Amino acid sequence: MRVLLVEDDEPIAESLTRGLSRYGFEVTWVRTGAEALTAGEFALVLVDLGLPDMDGLDVCRELRARGNVPIIVISARSDEVDRVVGLEIGADDYVTKPFGVREVVARMRAVLRRVQPAQPEPEVHGRVRIDRRGRRVHLDGDEVELTPKEFDLLSFLAEEPGAVFTREQIMEAVWDENWFGPTKTLDVHVGVLRRKLGDAASLETVRGVGFRLVLP
């Protein structure tokens, strides 16, 4: 997923870029509001308010006038007025510095869940049919009994068939960002899904990284 980061502070920008990249985001970093407004289309925009050429609020206002791209303000300004103004002109969330990468990722995912429309129709991948709205999976027309976590795991991996997800990405998406238990539970769930889906789908282990789902 392509993310635009509008941030003049180089250490913060580099830290965020590295951190978000570990979670699978493709980050484009620009320093100024002018660059942000000519950068093209992105799935989500992170905007600092303290830019060298213009106020970040003006960037938010212009981006919102152009379309519905999700916008999250990241700023050292903790005053309530700035928060209210930012949200009123169209920002979807407001994160105050200092912050951790995991907090930003959690906010990004929450915003994306709100703005992305629900899947209108079940997804069909060869012999596997995934109904995200109904939280049901069918194999060759017969329903496969999955636990909630098994469904969440399959659903997450099926968002990008063939893409490799790290253990950390999967644990945070399927369990939650505050999970501190052993990652062995992930291996158990992968093993169960392999048995239940048989040869209709391949859950491949990428050694030293994580897993990918290969669907026909």
Side-chain angles (χ1 to χ4, degrees):
M1 178 177 292
R2 298 180 67 235
V3 175
L4 177 63
L5 172 61
V6 191
E7 172 62 69
D8 185 47
D9 189 312
E10 185 171 346
I12 291 178
E14 290 182 344
S15 177
L16 260 180
T17 299
R18 287 195 304 269
L20 295 178
S21 296
R22 288 198 298 268
Y23 286 88
F25 295 99
E26 180 185 339
V27 181
T28 296
W29 169 36
V30 298
R31 291 177 177 271
T32 68
E35 289 177 295
L37 297 177
T38 58
E41 296 185 0
F42 290 84
L44 186 144
V45 180
L46 299 170
V47 183
D48 187 10
L49 299 186
L51 302 176
D53 60 336
M54 61 195 299
D55 194 302
L57 291 174
D58 293 326
V59 177
C60 293
R61 186 179 292 107
E62 178 62 26
L63 289 175
R64 181 55 65 238
R66 296 180 182 184
N68 295 318
V69 60
I71 302 170
I72 298 179
V73 171
I74 50 174
S75 177
R77 301 182 196 172
S78 57
D79 189 84
E80 183 180 1
V81 173
D82 288 309
R83 289 175 173 270
V84 171
V85 172
L87 296 173
E88 284 187 344
I89 65 175
D92 297 279
D93 203 349
Y94 194 112
V95 185
T96 303
K97 299 177 183 178
F99 49 72
V101 172
R102 293 177 69 173
E103 177 188 359
V104 176
V105 170
R107 299 289 191 101
M108 291 168 64
R109 287 175 173 164
V111 167
L112 290 169
R113 283 195 296 269
R114 292 199 301 267
V115 301
Q116 289 177 344
Q119 294 288 335
E121 296 292 338
E123 304 165 19
V124 179
H125 304 275
R127 296 159 58 196
V128 180
R129 181 175 181 267
I130 302 174
D131 180 359
R132 296 180 185 272
R133 298 178 69 181
R135 295 181 62 82
R136 303 172 72 182
V137 173
H138 289 79
L139 173 59
D140 296 331
D142 296 323
E143 185 168 359
V144 181
E145 294 294 333
L146 299 181
T147 67
K149 287 302 181 189
E150 290 166 5
F151 178 87
D152 290 341
L153 174 58
L154 176 61
S155 179
F156 176 70
L157 295 175
E159 287 180 3
E160 294 185 64
V164 178
F165 293 95
T166 66
R167 286 175 169 272
E168 186 176 43
Q169 288 174 315
I170 298 170
M171 293 301 295
E172 291 200 0
V174 177
W175 279 262
D176 67 54
E177 63 271 15
N178 297 314
W179 173 266
F180 294 108
T183 60
K184 186 67 176 175
T185 187
L186 172 57
D187 298 274
V188 172
H189 281 74
V190 167
V192 172
L193 279 178
R194 283 172 175 158
R195 291 195 298 273
K196 291 185 176 181
L197 296 177
D199 60 0
S202 177
L203 278 82
E204 299 179 353
T205 300
V206 181
R207 194 169 186 142
V209 183
F211 299 92
R212 67 172 156 232
L213 176 66
V214 179
L215 292 165

